[in-house]
Amino acid sequence: MNLMRVGYLLMAVGLAVTEWPSLFNRDKPWPLYEGTNTYMLVAMGLLALLGLRHPVKLLPILVFESAWKVMWLVVVARPLWAADQMDRDTSDVASACLWVIIVIAVTPWRYVFVQYFAAGGDPWFRSRETMSSRSTLTHGQAS
């Protein structure tokens, strides 16, 4: 549990240091992509702070962080690096994304697999039995 908190803390501090200052040091309107990206990352940082309190409930945040960074590194950065075409900006993003190794290390992947992939999903529709029992409970006729 505390190792997961390390992952959340790393995310929260990293995003606070890199993204939050731009929220307060802005004197012109945001370009669409830059504004969208910045505020998405700030929201991720806030959710990571919440993950310090509820590490298991916010586990999808760690999974999302791992998934997008690993996919970006494999699909975008690796081919550029292999072709010796990586520019400075891409190199900087790749370096920042490599910190995902810590998040991957602290994520309980067996639990993730069992809870999100192996376990049955929630039903798409309520059965008539469930609907009638809820109706009974909401009208104060519980047995």
Side-chain angles (χ1 to χ4, degrees):
M1 205 66 86
N2 287 333
L3 283 176
M4 287 171 41
R5 287 184 171 109
V6 169
Y8 291 116
L9 184 62
L10 174 71
M11 284 176 58
V13 169
L15 290 169
V17 168
T18 60
E19 300 300 327
W20 294 9
S22 65
L23 299 179
F24 306 107
N25 301 326
R26 194 84 189 155
D27 57 353
K28 58 184 178 182
W30 290 91
L32 177 61
Y33 175 76
E34 184 181 347
T36 303
N37 187 56
T38 298
Y39 278 90
M40 184 212 52
L41 292 172
V42 167
M44 285 286 294
L46 293 172
L47 289 171
L49 285 174
L50 193 56
L52 292 171
R53 183 171 178 173
H54 303 285
V56 176
K57 289 181 181 178
L58 274 289
L59 189 55
I61 297 299
L62 293 181
V63 174
F64 177 77
E65 181 78 357
S66 299
W68 87 258
K69 285 185 176 180
V70 167
M71 287 189 291
W72 188 88
L73 286 165
V74 170
V75 175
V76 177
R78 187 188 56 78
L80 291 172
W81 177 75
D84 199 27
Q85 296 177 347
M86 190 176 288
D87 62 17
R88 177 79 176 156
D89 289 338
T90 307
S91 180
D92 289 346
V93 172
S95 295
C97 283
L98 286 173
W99 285 92
V100 77
I101 292 168
I102 295 170
V103 175
I104 291 169
V106 302
T107 301
W109 292 105
R110 182 175 300 176
Y111 178 85
V112 169
F113 179 77
V114 168
Q115 291 298 310
Y116 297 104
F117 297 100
D122 294 332
W124 285 86
F125 301 101
R126 288 187 262 167
S127 68
R128 290 191 187 278
E129 182 179 300
T130 303
M131 290 170 47
S132 65
S133 67
R134 279 194 181 174
S135 174
T136 303
L137 290 174
T138 57
H139 291 94
Q141 300 171 352
S143 46

